[in-house]
Amino acid sequence: MTALRYRFYIATLFFCVIKGNSIYSQLTSDRAPEHIFIHQSDSLNELAELKLDEQPQDAIPLAYESLRISRGIKYQEGEFYAYNNLGLAHDYLGVPDSAYHYFQRAYKLAVALEDDFFLSVAKNNLGMYHLFQKNLPLAFKLLMEALELDESKGLKKDPIISYSNLGLIYEEWGNIDKALHAYKKAAEFALARKTPEKDAFAYLTIGYIASLEKEYEKAIKNYEKALAFYRANHRDNQIAETIFYMGIVRQDQDRLEESLTYFLQALEFYEKQDSKADIVSMYTFIADNHKRSGNVGKALKYYEMAEDLASSHHIRSELVNIYREMANIYSNENIDFKKAHDYRLKYSLLNDTIYEDQTSEELRHLQTSYNLKIKEAENDKLLAERTRDRILLKQRTSFAVSVAIISLLLTGIVVVLYQAYRQKFLSNKQLGDKVRERTIALEVANNKLVQYNEELERFAHISSHDLKEPLRNISSFIHLIQRKLRKVEISPVIEEYMSFVIKGTRQMHELVEDVSAFSKVISTRDRPLESVDLKKVLQELLLSIDLLIRERNALISIHPMPSVLAHKGNFYLIFKNLIENAIKYNKSEQPEVNVFYQSTTHDHHFIIRDNGIGIAEEYQHQIFELFKRLNNREEYNGSGIGLAICKRIIESYGGNIWVESKLKFGSSFHFTLPRQQVNCN
């Protein structure tokens, strides 16, 4: 297990960056009066960074104050460091979702500043977050992008951190040889720095390498060297981490009493720091230690403590492992098969949710990369225009000087006119060359944009055809297996497992269909507009969902609707998703759905109102995100992409969509279309 190492590497990386910011503050000290506030912001950020190891909760108000000052003077560098400090503090406190939020804000600032060094730091932090969340492909991609920035731009960043981060990735992937190589390089660079702090880090890393190579006594000796430095300097976080690793070594040697003593000592330090994620990790290691010793009762006790703490602080990556281990104990020890089944079900549902979140995050990252490419093309175009303007200005200035010389020196008029003509000719030739170069660059950029669009369309084709084919094969063979098994007596557990496979196949098929529909929204934008009678669209829709309406005994009321100049298929999708959701998320004996239209001065306003289960206020902005679900699949099926499709279509016409709702009292979905974008009759 290496989860407890992640935060140390992020904090070390950030320590290097914040020192650079302090230097920046000193260099700008002549910009009165702003330099005073810049110095205050930098000082607060340094204090917050120093608090991270001891009391991370004390770092939060310092970072917030730095953020307030930086925003007041539009000091974006200070905002960047404050957001990074807030992300690190929440990561230490075991609140990964908040940490991710602040790391994302820092990343957006780095993009806005167009600073490669800031981008490198932000991508490192996001990469380590995704590594902790077990999204290894995205973590590896972000870390490699950060390293490419360092190498291509010549940034001077400590290679110790880069090698350590890569070692973590390779170890999680199971490639121990590459992990060992990376860790050894990190230790070599650390020892070369010849400072007590770097030496301690090197001893810690060498001890970890020795434990991976099963040289246990060598590992303990190096851990003790690192521990001596950390104790002398009161580095509680590193003390706990080192003691934890010593416990791992003894556990690998089956010296379980010694390992338990080390784990309990590490737990005391983490409880003192109130580091929730680390406390949960220690509970699980102590539980595993008791399980190995044959003390199942104590193992269950610590797993339950870990479950309670992880649930209350939304530490999902740990909950997955806890659910799996508790299910195994209840099943293998024949203690309680019902609880074993319940924990297996929890494990399956949470694992699905984490996978969906990871998929959504990867899609968002692809979209961000695509937007950056577009911005680069726009910057190239702007640079070409500026170059042309500079040449024109230079040409006009030369001409004016020539005229002045002619008026003062009539005797040299012939010579001056010749020089002016020659300079104008050379300038025009230079301008023509520059314009041709920039035209070629723009053509290359446009070709790249066309290629990116084609890749998106190929992705839609794969999701709608190639992915569905293996799903159909799986479903067919599962049904064949079921037919064969009907002739023999099988256990209820096998039947339940078969139902899980069928259900998972159906969910994957729905997800593929919805992702395909979401991708096709883009392709309709270039099609010509047509007059669409929304009343007829709704009539066709009600016929297509007639079975659902009759099954639920639903009452659908359609009020007068206009005709619009738009795309028929898009509006069919909008009303289909909104009306089906109104019926699906409804526990009334007779679901009621009303569809209204209102005309205002600037907009055309549509309302879909129901008497369903309603939506809590804190979730009303999240429901329009990709794959965001508020209810589990056991109660309501679906992929969580329907409302995202509605939002994408409506925004493509320049409109807005929102919901007004109160839990248990129904919902009203509103969307508007601007008059200048969509003609309505």
Side-chain angles (χ1 to χ4, degrees):
M1 290 293 293
T2 57
L4 297 175
R5 295 170 62 89
Y6 298 169
R7 297 181 182 81
F8 178 74
Y9 294 135
I10 299 174
T12 305
L13 168 63
F14 187 64
F15 179 79
C16 300
V17 178
I18 201 73
K19 294 304 177 187
N21 185 42
S22 178
I23 294 170
Y24 173 82
S25 175
Q26 295 170 15
L27 292 174
T28 57
S29 61
D30 59 335
R31 296 190 301 167
E34 280 190 8
H35 75 276
I36 298 174
F37 296 108
I38 291 175
H39 179 72
Q40 287 179 352
S41 173
D42 292 341
S43 298
L44 287 166
N45 276 322
E46 289 190 51
L47 285 173
E49 191 274 333
L50 292 172
K51 289 287 185 182
L52 288 173
D53 276 340
E54 300 174 3
Q55 296 294 332
Q57 64 270 22
D58 293 342
I60 293 175
L62 294 170
Y64 272 128
E65 179 63 15
S66 171
L67 186 61
R68 184 188 67 80
I69 293 172
S70 299
R71 283 176 172 172
I73 59 173
K74 297 182 180 179
Y75 177 37
Q76 291 184 309
E77 291 88 347
E79 289 184 55
F80 174 85
Y81 297 128
Y83 280 130
N84 263 292
N85 263 333
L86 287 168
L88 293 168
H90 284 89
D91 185 66
Y92 272 52
L93 293 170
V95 191
D97 290 342
S98 296
Y100 174 74
H101 167 76
Y102 290 117
F103 287 150
Q104 275 284 69
R105 296 295 294 269
Y107 174 71
K108 289 178 181 178
L109 273 173
V111 173
L113 289 166
E114 298 182 354
D115 188 295
D116 291 329
F117 185 79
F118 289 167
L119 275 173
S120 173
V121 173
K123 288 188 175 186
N124 259 293
N125 285 348
L126 285 171
M128 298 310 294
Y129 165 83
H130 287 296
L131 176 58
F132 184 66
Q133 296 297 316
K134 306 301 183 184
N135 190 349
L136 302 184
L138 184 55
F140 185 75
K141 184 177 187 298
L142 286 164
L143 291 173
M144 290 304 295
E145 286 175 357
L147 285 174
E148 287 174 6
L149 281 170
D150 297 343
E151 294 170 357
S152 63
K153 303 298 181 182
L155 300 179
K156 301 299 181 183
K157 200 170 70 178
D158 200 332
I160 298 170
I161 309 306
S162 299
Y163 280 118
S164 298
N165 291 346
L166 281 176
L168 291 171
I169 289 280
Y170 287 129
E171 188 178 348
E172 286 293 327
W173 261 329
N175 194 332
I176 300 301
D177 289 339
K178 286 190 175 181
L180 286 171
H181 173 75
Y183 289 145
K184 288 176 181 178
K185 295 291 287 186
E188 289 174 11
F189 278 105
L191 288 172
R193 296 292 182 270
K194 296 182 179 179
T195 65
E197 184 169 4
K198 297 297 183 183
D199 287 346
F201 176 82
Y203 294 142
L204 187 67
T205 306
I206 293 169
Y208 193 75
I209 293 169
S211 68
L212 290 177
E213 294 177 335
K214 302 188 184 306
E215 297 180 14
Y216 298 120
E217 296 309 318
K218 179 182 176 182
I220 291 293
K221 287 180 181 179
N222 280 280
Y223 285 150
E224 287 174 344
K225 290 180 182 179
L227 188 60
F229 172 81
Y230 294 139
R231 287 191 187 278
N233 290 273
H234 307 289
R235 300 286 182 82
D236 288 350
N237 194 56
Q238 280 74 39
I239 292 171
E241 181 185 16
T242 308
I243 293 173
F244 163 74
Y245 287 135
M246 295 172 78
I248 289 293
V249 170
R250 293 311 186 201
Q251 191 178 65
D252 289 343
Q253 293 178 289
D254 286 330
R255 294 162 65 170
L256 300 179
E257 290 186 5
E258 292 181 54
S259 64
L260 180 60
T261 301
Y262 283 126
F263 290 155
L264 290 172
Q265 289 177 10
L267 177 61
E268 288 181 10
F269 279 98
Y270 287 129
E271 287 177 337
K272 176 182 175 183
Q273 298 174 69
D274 198 29
S275 179
K276 304 299 183 186
D278 293 325
I279 293 171
V280 171
S281 294
M282 292 314 307
Y283 282 159
T284 59
F285 276 101
I286 293 170
D288 181 62
N289 199 86
H290 283 304
K291 186 176 73 170
R292 294 187 183 201
S293 301
N295 195 334
V296 176
K298 283 191 176 181
L300 283 174
K301 173 187 172 184
Y302 275 98
Y303 276 129
E304 288 169 356
M305 291 166 63
E307 179 189 6
D308 291 342
L309 188 58
S311 298
S312 61
H313 289 81
H314 309 291
I315 308 173
R316 298 187 306 176
S317 58
E318 291 288 353
L319 273 174
V320 171
N321 297 327
I322 293 167
Y323 289 154
R324 184 182 63 243
E325 292 300 324
M326 293 186 75
N328 289 337
I329 290 177
Y330 280 118
S331 176
N332 296 338
E333 301 294 331
N334 298 324
I335 298 173
D336 190 329
F337 287 107
K338 183 179 184 304
K339 283 190 176 181
H341 171 268
D342 290 343
Y343 277 112
R344 282 200 181 96
L345 186 59
K346 286 182 179 181
Y347 167 77
S348 177
L349 291 174
L350 184 56
N351 212 29
D352 285 350
T353 301
I354 291 174
Y355 174 77
E356 289 175 0
D357 289 348
Q358 290 175 354
T359 303
S360 177
E361 181 60 32
E362 289 172 3
L363 287 173
R364 281 197 293 270
H365 184 73
L366 287 172
Q367 183 67 39
T368 301
S369 299
Y370 177 71
N371 291 338
L372 285 174
K373 295 294 184 182
I374 293 176
K375 188 173 181 181
E376 288 176 3
E378 291 174 348
N379 287 340
D380 288 342
K381 181 180 178 181
L382 182 61
L383 181 62
E385 292 174 351
R386 288 179 177 175
T387 302
R388 182 191 62 193
D389 291 342
R390 282 198 300 270
I391 294 172
L392 287 173
L393 180 61
K394 181 179 179 181
Q395 179 183 346
R396 290 169 183 169
T397 303
S398 299
F399 182 77
V401 171
S402 300
V403 172
I405 294 173
I406 290 170
S407 63
L408 294 174
L409 303 172
L410 294 175
T411 56
I413 190 170
V414 175
V415 176
V416 171
L417 286 173
Y418 173 76
Q419 291 177 344
Y421 171 79
R422 181 175 178 80
Q423 187 169 4
K424 181 177 180 181
F425 174 80
L426 293 174
S427 297
N428 286 335
K429 185 175 182 300
Q430 184 181 7
L431 175 62
D433 293 341
K434 290 288 184 181
V435 169
R436 280 192 294 273
E437 291 175 4
R438 295 303 175 187
T439 301
I440 293 171
L442 286 174
E443 289 176 354
V444 171
N446 286 333
N447 290 335
K448 287 183 178 180
L449 291 177
V450 171
Q451 182 180 356
Y452 294 147
N453 282 329
E454 290 174 352
E455 289 175 358
L456 286 174
E457 291 177 2
R458 283 198 296 271
F459 173 77
H461 174 73
I462 291 171
S463 66
S464 63
H465 181 270
D466 294 350
L467 292 178
K468 286 191 288 188
E469 183 61 28
L471 286 175
R472 283 194 292 267
N473 290 338
I474 292 170
S475 181
S476 298
F477 279 107
I478 288 296
H479 283 98
L480 287 173
I481 292 171
Q482 280 186 316
R483 289 169 58 186
K484 291 287 186 181
L485 292 177
R486 287 195 189 111
K487 300 177 182 179
V488 296
E489 184 178 353
I490 59 174
S491 70
V493 175
I494 293 177
E495 289 183 350
E496 183 181 15
Y497 289 169
M498 296 286 283
S499 68
F500 283 157
V501 174
I502 293 171
K503 180 181 176 183
T505 306
R506 188 184 308 115
Q507 290 172 355
M508 189 62 187
H509 188 274
E510 291 174 358
L511 181 62
V512 169
E513 289 286 357
D514 287 342
V515 170
S516 176
F518 185 79
S519 302
K520 290 177 182 176
V521 170
I522 304 173
S523 63
T524 62
R525 294 177 182 172
D526 298 329
R527 293 195 345 234
L529 302 177
E530 59 181 341
S531 180
V532 180
D533 187 341
L534 294 184
K535 181 179 179 181
K536 290 183 179 179
V537 170
L538 285 164
Q539 288 173 346
E540 292 176 10
L541 172 60
L542 294 183
L543 286 175
S544 69
I545 63 172
D546 181 63
L547 180 59
L548 174 63
I549 294 172
R550 285 190 283 109
E551 284 179 350
R552 294 299 313 278
N553 189 31
L555 178 62
I556 314 296
S557 299
I558 307 296
H559 296 261
M561 288 284 120
S563 294
V564 296
L565 191 62
H567 303 101
K568 179 179 178 180
N570 284 349
F571 277 83
Y572 183 90
L573 276 176
I574 293 171
F575 286 117
K576 180 177 184 294
N577 282 306
L578 294 176
I579 292 174
E580 283 185 345
N581 283 356
I583 298 173
K584 182 196 307 180
Y585 299 103
N586 198 313
K587 295 183 178 180
S588 304
E589 292 184 2
Q590 184 175 51
E592 296 179 6
V593 184
N594 287 277
V595 184
F596 302 92
Y597 164 72
Q598 297 174 353
S599 179
T600 65
T601 304
H602 302 290
D603 298 305
H604 301 284
H605 190 175
F606 297 86
I607 306 169
I608 294 84
R609 183 173 298 143
D610 63 59
N611 63 340
I613 61 177
I615 303 167
E617 184 177 354
E618 60 266 28
Y619 300 117
Q620 290 177 12
H621 293 289
Q622 300 179 20
I623 59 175
F624 297 102
E625 298 176 10
L626 271 173
F627 304 110
K628 181 61 68 174
R629 294 174 50 87
L630 303 184
N631 307 95
N632 61 56
R633 289 197 177 92
E634 295 299 315
E635 190 171 2
Y636 302 102
N637 60 4
S639 62
I641 201 173
L643 290 177
I645 291 175
C646 294
K647 183 174 185 290
R648 184 147 191 166
I649 293 172
I650 291 165
E651 289 182 348
S652 72
Y653 291 108
N656 292 305
I657 183 171
W658 70 95
V659 63
E660 296 175 357
S661 179
K662 188 175 181 182
L663 198 61
K664 299 181 181 179
F665 290 96
S667 304
S668 293
F669 281 83
H670 300 252
F671 67 91
T672 59
L673 301 170
R675 286 183 177 275
Q676 66 270 26
Q677 292 290 332
V678 179
N679 275 331
C680 290
N681 301 323

